[in-house]
C-alpha cells in the first residue's frame, strides 16, 4: 500500500514527511503516534479523504498550523476547517462587556507576579490566535527551525530573541514545541497586596496554588493603563477572584468594579479573619502605592 493512501500504515514516520514540515524528527514521531492512536480509537474508521483529513486535524490541533498543513499536504488531503473550540471554553452567552476569551497554556509559577497579576501564553493553534499571527512571525519560526536543523544555534537563538520581542515565544509542552503569544493579565475587580507589603508573598502563593501549572480561561474586558489585559479568571471550573476574596488573599477593588458579590465576599473574609484580615490593621494596596509615589509620606 502506498504510504500516502492511508494514515494507518505502521509505526514508523514516513521518510518523505520531513520534506513537508520543519519540526524535529522527535516531534514527528510524537505526531505519528497521536495520529495512529486517533485512528485506532475512531469507530468506524474514516472512509473518505475528507474524514481522514478531519481526523488528522483533530488529533494534531495543538501543533503549529504550518506543520499541520504540511502533514495534510503530504497525505494529499485537503485542509479542513480546524476543530472549533469547545463550548465549555467559549460559553455561548458571555457576560456583558467581554471582548474575547483566552484559553491559555499551563501557567508557569514563575510567571505569577503577585496575587492579582500574571503572564499567560496562548498557543497560536487556537482559532482566534491563528488568524492574527503576523506573517513575519511565521517566517521567523520557519527560519529558526531551519537554523536548528543545520545546527546553527547562534542564528536560532537570535531568531528566538526576535520572536520574544514581537510578543511570541516557543514553549515546550508535552515534549512538543509550541508557538504561543504572550499576554500580561490583570485580574479584574481585586487588588492584592504588593510583594513588599505585609501578606504580599502569601497572596501570591495563594494564586500559585490556584492556577500554577494549570490552564486558565480568561474573559477579557479590555486593557488597563499599563497595557495589561483585564479579565475574569477561571481554572478547573473555579472563579479565581471569588476564591481570592473569600479567603482574604485580596481586597475588593471597588474603584474599578461595582459587582456586589465582590464586596460580599470581602466582608465574609474580614468577618472570619481570613488571610490578610488576621493582621491588626492591614494596609490597602492602593494606599501603599500612593505613599510610595509620594516618597513614603503617609496618605491622609
Amino acid at each position: 500500500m502506498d504510504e500516502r493512501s492511508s494514515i494507518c500504515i505502521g509505526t514508523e514516520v514516513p521518510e518523505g514527511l520531513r520534506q513537508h514540515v520543519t519540526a524535529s524528527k522527535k516531534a514527528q514521531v510524537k505526531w505519528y503516534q497521536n495520529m495512529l492512536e486517533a485512528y485506532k480509537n475512531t469507530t468506524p474508521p474514516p472512509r473518505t479523504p475528507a474524514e481522514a483529513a478531519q481526523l488528522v486535524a483533530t488529533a494534531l490541533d495543538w501543533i503549529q498550523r504550518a506543520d499541520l498543513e504540511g502533514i495534510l499536504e503530504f497525505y494529499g488531503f485537503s485542509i479542513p476547517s480546524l476543530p472549533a473550540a469547545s463550548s465549555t471554553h467559549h460559553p455561548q452567552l458571555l457576560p456583558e462587556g467581554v471582548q474575547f476569551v483566552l484559553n491559555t497554556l499551563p501557567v508557569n509559577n514563575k510567571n505569577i507576579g503577585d496575587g492579582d497579576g500574571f503572564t499567560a501564553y496562548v498557543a497560536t493553534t487556537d482559532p482566534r490566535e491563528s488568524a492574527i499571527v503576523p506573517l513575519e512571525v511565521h517566517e521567523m519560526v520557519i527560519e529558526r527551525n531551519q537554523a536548528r536543523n543545520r545546527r546553527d544555534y547562534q542564528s536560532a537563538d537570535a531568531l528566538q530573541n526576535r520572536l520574544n520581542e514581537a510578543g511570541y515565544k516557543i514553549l515546550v509542552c508535552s515534549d512538543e514545541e509550541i508557538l504561543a503569544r504572550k499576554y500580561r493579565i490583570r485580574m479584574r475587580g481585586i487588588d492584592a497586596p504588593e510583594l513588599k507589603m505585609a501578606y504580599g508573598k502569601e497572596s501570591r502563593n495563594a494564586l500559585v496554588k490556584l492556577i500554577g501549572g494549570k490552564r486558565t480561561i480568561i474573559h477579557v474586558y479590555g486593557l488597563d493603563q499599563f497595557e495589561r489585559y483585564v479579565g475574569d479568571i477561571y481554572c478547573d471550573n473555579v472563579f479565581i477572584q471569588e476564591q481570592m476574596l473569600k479567603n482574604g488573599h485580596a481586597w475588593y477593588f471597588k474603584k474599578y468594579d461595582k459587582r456586589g458579590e465582590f464586596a460580599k465576599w470581602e466582608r465574609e473574609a474580614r468577618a472570619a479573619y481570613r488571610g490578610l484580615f488576621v493582621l491588626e490593621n492591614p494596609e490597602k494596596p492602593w494606599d501603599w502605592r500612593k505613599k510610595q509615589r509620594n516618597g513614603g509620606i503617609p496618605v491622609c
Side-chain angles (χ1 to χ4, degrees):
M1 180 182 291
D2 182 82
E3 66 178 0
R4 292 177 180 230
S5 64
S6 170
I7 67 168
C8 188
I9 56 175
T11 59
E12 297 296 326
V13 177
E15 184 64 26
L17 181 61
R18 64 182 178 183
Q19 299 175 9
H20 296 261
V21 299
T22 60
S24 67
K25 184 66 174 291
K26 181 179 179 181
Q28 294 174 38
V29 170
K30 184 174 181 60
W31 299 346
Y32 209 61
Q33 290 172 344
N34 282 25
M35 291 163 57
L36 291 173
E37 189 67 24
Y39 186 91
K40 293 175 183 177
N41 293 333
T42 300
T43 305
R47 301 180 184 278
T48 66
E51 290 178 354
Q54 192 62 57
L55 183 149
V56 172
T58 301
L60 302 181
D61 66 350
W62 44 275
I63 71 173
Q64 295 183 30
R65 177 64 181 261
D67 282 333
L68 177 56
E69 291 179 353
I71 294 170
L72 294 169
E73 179 186 8
F74 170 75
Y75 284 111
F77 295 149
S78 299
I79 299 174
S81 299
L82 290 179
S86 168
S87 60
T88 59
H89 284 188
H90 292 273
Q92 293 183 355
L93 296 177
L94 294 172
E96 183 179 355
V98 175
Q99 296 183 5
F100 55 88
V101 177
L102 298 175
N103 290 285
T104 77
L105 294 168
V107 177
N108 191 312
N109 290 1
K110 294 180 180 179
N111 290 335
I112 301 175
D114 54 26
D116 58 37
F118 58 98
T119 296
Y121 289 89
V122 178
T124 55
T125 52
D126 179 272
R128 176 182 175 275
E129 292 296 331
S130 65
I132 59 177
V133 180
L135 176 61
E136 56 267 28
V137 169
H138 283 301
E139 291 173 344
M140 282 189 283
V141 171
I142 293 173
E143 290 175 16
R144 173 188 175 273
N145 289 340
Q146 291 173 342
R148 287 177 61 85
N149 287 339
R150 64 176 182 267
R151 301 183 184 277
D152 182 1
Y153 298 117
Q154 183 175 355
S155 296
D157 290 344
L159 287 161
Q160 176 71 70
N161 291 336
R162 287 176 57 193
L163 282 170
N164 293 345
E165 291 171 0
Y168 289 84
K169 190 170 185 178
I170 295 178
L171 304 173
V172 177
C173 295
S174 301
D175 296 325
E176 170 65 21
E177 286 191 347
I178 295 177
L179 178 64
R181 183 180 175 187
K182 177 181 178 180
Y183 286 89
R184 294 171 59 231
I185 306 299
R186 177 63 167 83
M187 295 167 65
R188 179 172 176 251
I190 69 172
D191 199 1
E194 303 292 339
L195 285 181
K196 293 182 179 181
M197 295 177 62
Y199 207 79
K201 292 181 180 179
E202 290 85 348
S203 176
R204 176 190 178 276
N205 291 340
L207 184 57
V208 168
K209 290 181 180 178
L210 288 168
I211 68 172
K214 302 176 184 178
R215 297 175 183 268
T216 66
I217 300 171
I218 305 174
H219 291 181
V220 176
Y221 286 80
L223 289 168
D224 69 5
Q225 60 182 324
F226 302 108
E227 298 295 311
R228 297 174 299 187
Y229 290 85
V230 179
D232 287 339
I233 318 301
Y234 300 87
C235 182
D236 293 338
N237 295 317
V238 171
F239 182 28
I240 301 303
Q241 282 103 305
E242 178 180 354
Q243 294 302 309
M244 294 295 287
L245 287 169
K246 281 185 171 181
N247 290 289
H249 301 314
W251 298 79
Y252 167 41
F253 210 1
K254 58 185 177 183
K255 180 179 179 181
Y256 297 102
D257 196 289
K258 305 303 178 185
R259 286 176 282 187
E261 63 269 31
F262 277 39
K264 174 178 175 289
W265 294 332
E266 184 194 284
R267 287 196 301 270
E268 291 175 356
R270 188 189 296 271
Y273 298 99
R274 299 191 191 111
L276 65 90
F277 296 110
V278 301
L279 303 175
E280 184 175 348
N281 186 27
E283 186 174 16
K284 299 178 177 65
W286 51 89
D287 287 342
W288 185 89
R289 290 191 294 268
K290 186 174 182 179
K291 185 169 66 176
Q292 298 304 304
R293 290 193 296 268
N294 292 338
I297 300 174
V299 180
C300 297

